[in-house]
Amino acid sequence: MKEKIIKYSLAAVSLLIPAVFTIILFFVISESIPAVTQIGVGLFDLQGIWRPLSASPSYSILPMILGTLYVSFLAIILSAPIACLCAIFLNYYVRKRISKPILAFIDLLAGVPSVIFGFIGLMIIVSNFEKIFNMSAGESVFAAAILLAIMLLPYIVSSYSESIERAKDKYGSASLALGTSEEYATLKIIIPITKNSVVAAVTMAFGRAMSETMAVMMIIGNAPIFPTLFGRSQTIPALTALEFGSAEYGSLHLSAIYTANLVLLILLCFILTATSFLKRKLLKEYD
């Protein structure tokens, strides 16, 4: 009886998770319908701007979509090479009794509240941008990308380090028995084998970057315009955090915000599906 209770309880929880996601998706879609039907392609107008409270309102969410993708891609480009090299270094050139505590501290970095990262970004990155690049205000896409890259390091390092450890356990001893050096085994065997793991870790980190709110909102400038490297911009999560509470219920303004979040949700679903597929493919390679 106890086993049946546990079995059916776990089955209920397993079914509850996709049910909750379906409810959220249905709610966001239903709230997006007014904006989609009344504004239509104007939501993605290349010449449009986000000006929902003016006398002639405009609801183009394209600048925020591009801003979200731009800062996320830039953060991944900055963080992925450093994180992968860090994982290789910790697995090959540092003793296990030292690398394990270091990896534990790297994992702890992922638990630091994003508002603290945002405050540090304001005090260090933004202020230095103003001095180095002679900017009137250091808030920019590049500053946000640097901060976001630091926040993504734990996700990539931990995931890739685990994959390297698995590959070493399976192929490391055999390659060394054949007389190859650790450097050769790393470059010719371990890295090619774990390439899918790198893609999965980077894809997962990219999804995390797209959904980051507070830290990015504090230093990106929050201007709903098309993003440039040293210019201000705004992401979809930042737009939601800043304007959702002040938007009138049932208005096109609120519906357009829901539509922006629907686009973000679709992009995240695609990214997480790709990550799941890559992880399954990776596990088959290790079997």
Side-chain angles (χ1 to χ4, degrees):
M1 181 60 69
K2 288 181 180 179
E3 290 181 357
K4 285 184 178 181
I5 292 172
I6 294 171
K7 177 183 177 181
Y8 291 126
S9 298
L10 292 175
V13 172
S14 301
L15 292 173
L16 182 63
I17 295 172
V20 170
F21 177 79
T22 304
I23 292 169
I24 292 172
L25 183 62
F26 176 78
F27 179 74
V28 173
I29 291 173
S30 64
E31 292 294 330
S32 303
I33 290 174
V36 173
T37 54
Q38 296 183 45
I39 304 171
V41 293
L43 290 165
F44 307 98
D45 186 5
L46 287 171
Q47 305 299 324
I49 56 175
W50 178 261
R51 195 170 52 193
L53 301 178
S54 67
S56 55
S58 177
Y59 299 98
S60 178
I61 60 174
L62 188 60
M64 280 70 76
I65 296 172
L66 295 178
T68 304
L69 293 172
Y70 192 5
V71 73
S72 301
F73 270 119
L74 195 55
I76 286 294
I77 291 170
L78 293 173
S79 63
I82 298 172
C84 291
L85 291 173
C86 180
I88 293 170
F89 178 78
L90 289 173
N91 276 276
Y92 277 96
Y93 300 100
V94 180
R95 293 181 179 178
K96 262 195 173 182
R97 59 189 178 86
I98 299 175
S99 65
K100 289 293 183 183
I102 293 174
L103 284 170
F105 278 110
I106 291 173
D107 289 336
L108 283 174
L109 188 64
V112 177
S114 59
V115 68
I116 295 178
F117 278 108
F119 179 74
I120 294 171
L122 281 173
M123 295 297 102
I124 298 175
I125 300 175
V126 171
S127 60
N128 279 287
F129 264 49
E130 293 171 357
K131 295 175 185 176
I132 296 170
F133 299 107
N134 196 24
M135 300 169 67
S136 57
E139 291 91 347
S140 62
V141 170
F142 194 30
I146 292 173
L147 180 65
L148 195 53
I150 296 170
M151 296 176 68
L152 296 179
L153 286 175
Y155 299 95
I156 304 176
V157 171
S158 298
S159 180
Y160 190 43
S161 181
E162 183 181 347
S163 299
I164 291 176
E165 194 170 349
R166 286 183 180 179
K168 277 180 66 179
D169 291 341
K170 187 170 183 179
Y171 300 104
S173 299
S175 62
L176 292 175
L178 293 173
T180 61
S181 64
E182 283 197 344
E183 288 77 11
Y184 183 88
T186 303
L187 292 172
K188 299 296 183 180
I189 300 173
I190 303 300
I191 291 178
I193 287 171
T194 57
K195 62 182 184 296
N196 286 335
S197 176
V198 174
V199 176
V202 169
T203 307
M204 180 182 66
F206 182 68
R208 172 71 179 81
M210 288 183 64
S211 58
E212 175 55 42
T213 306
M214 186 57 67
V216 174
M217 184 176 69
M218 291 174 71
I219 66 172
I220 200 172
N222 298 308
I225 56 178
F226 284 92
T228 56
L229 188 61
F230 289 98
R232 296 186 174 193
S233 186
Q234 191 172 44
T235 62
I236 294 172
L239 170 72
T240 307
L242 288 170
E243 299 191 18
F244 191 84
S246 60
E248 183 183 352
Y249 183 76
S251 63
L252 276 179
H253 182 192
L254 185 63
S255 183
I257 294 174
Y258 271 110
T259 306
N261 281 274
L262 177 61
V263 173
L264 179 63
L265 195 59
I266 292 170
L267 290 173
L268 289 174
C269 286
F270 175 76
I271 291 168
L272 293 175
T273 302
T275 305
S276 178
F277 171 77
L278 288 170
K279 282 185 175 180
R280 287 199 301 270
K281 188 175 180 181
L282 180 66
L283 289 174
K284 287 181 180 178
E285 288 183 359
Y286 289 144
D287 290 340

